[in-house]
Amino acid sequence: MDQYPTSDKLDKVIKESWSLFKSKFLGGRMEVSTEAPFQHNLANTLRTVGNLHCFSRTEQFFVDLEKREENLLESRKAKYIDITCSYYEYGELVSSAAIELKFKRKYQGADDEARIDAYWDIQCLEKCLKKGYDLAYFMMISNYDLYTKKSREGSTGDTFSMRQGYTTPCKELVPKLKSRENKRIQLKHRYTFHWEEQQGEYFLLLPIKNTNCHELLS
């Protein structure tokens, strides 16, 4: 029998895959210039590591891209999750995870929109946990250190801050940008951003929580 409970094993697979992906990305073994190859290369790494952790003939591990989830948001529009992965035993689902990704280069600009979209993804992942996923992670890579620094007080970058060590508030956040004015965001948990810098790249691995602010603070 596997020595790890299934949800713990899935968490181990995700963290090992993230570590391997970072090493190959930094070493030049994976060419990643946009979010699409980030998604596909990470998915392939998850698939390889997940299958290595299938120790019996009764276990199966699956990775899917752009899985459609209904009614995650108040608008009731479908949301496509970047990566989902799941363990099955005897043909029955026993553990699953949802992962959302962001890959931003300095030349792309629009960092305020990226911050709002990141908060939006985190909110969607919280909803995934309420829908039955066991685990959820938000992952981001950027070579733009602006995301990790403090922004001018009252600005969009300050309201939707992702700076190093910042802890998100438990209140509704309303974007001032016209391009994102339809998004209302209220995270159920407090999250603290811990960026890891290597070779001019900034990596964020954020576990999403299944508790409310008044139940547990990060």
Side-chain angles (χ1 to χ4, degrees), residues 73 115-127 130 138 159-162 166-173 184-193 206-209 211-214 216-218:
L73 309 170
R115 289 186 180 90
I116 295 169
D117 291 343
Y119 272 65
W120 184 256
D121 283 347
I122 293 168
Q123 179 175 252
C124 289
L125 289 169
E126 288 185 334
K127 300 282 188 180
K130 295 298 183 183
F138 176 77
T159 301
F160 294 89
S161 182
M162 301 178 72
Y166 179 74
T167 299
T168 60
C170 284
K171 64 179 182 180
E172 184 179 62
L173 302 175
R184 297 293 185 273
I185 298 168
Q186 183 163 3
L187 303 181
K188 301 299 184 183
H189 191 87
R190 296 186 189 274
Y191 300 95
T192 301
F193 294 99
L206 188 68
I208 306 305
K209 306 297 183 181
T211 54
N212 292 327
C213 284
H214 68 277
L216 179 67
L217 300 180
S218 294

Side-chain angles (χ1 to χ4, degrees), residues 54-110:
C54 289
F55 302 124
S56 72
R57 293 177 181 269
T58 64
E59 287 182 273
Q60 292 177 295
F61 182 76
F62 295 99
V63 176
D64 293 294
L65 304 182
E66 302 297 335
K67 184 176 179 182
R68 182 186 177 101
E69 287 291 348
E70 303 286 351
N71 301 327
L72 281 183
L73 309 170
E74 292 182 1
S75 64
R76 298 191 178 277
K77 291 181 180 179
K79 166 70 173 172
Y80 292 87
I81 306 302
D82 288 331
I83 299 176
T84 59
C85 45
S86 51
Y87 268 110
Y88 284 75
E89 191 161 359
Y90 295 103
E92 297 291 331
L93 176 64
V94 291
S95 186
S96 61
I99 301 170
E100 286 283 77
L101 310 172
K102 283 286 177 288
F103 187 87
K104 294 296 179 183
R105 302 284 87 182
K106 188 173 184 178
Y107 62 79
Q108 290 176 307

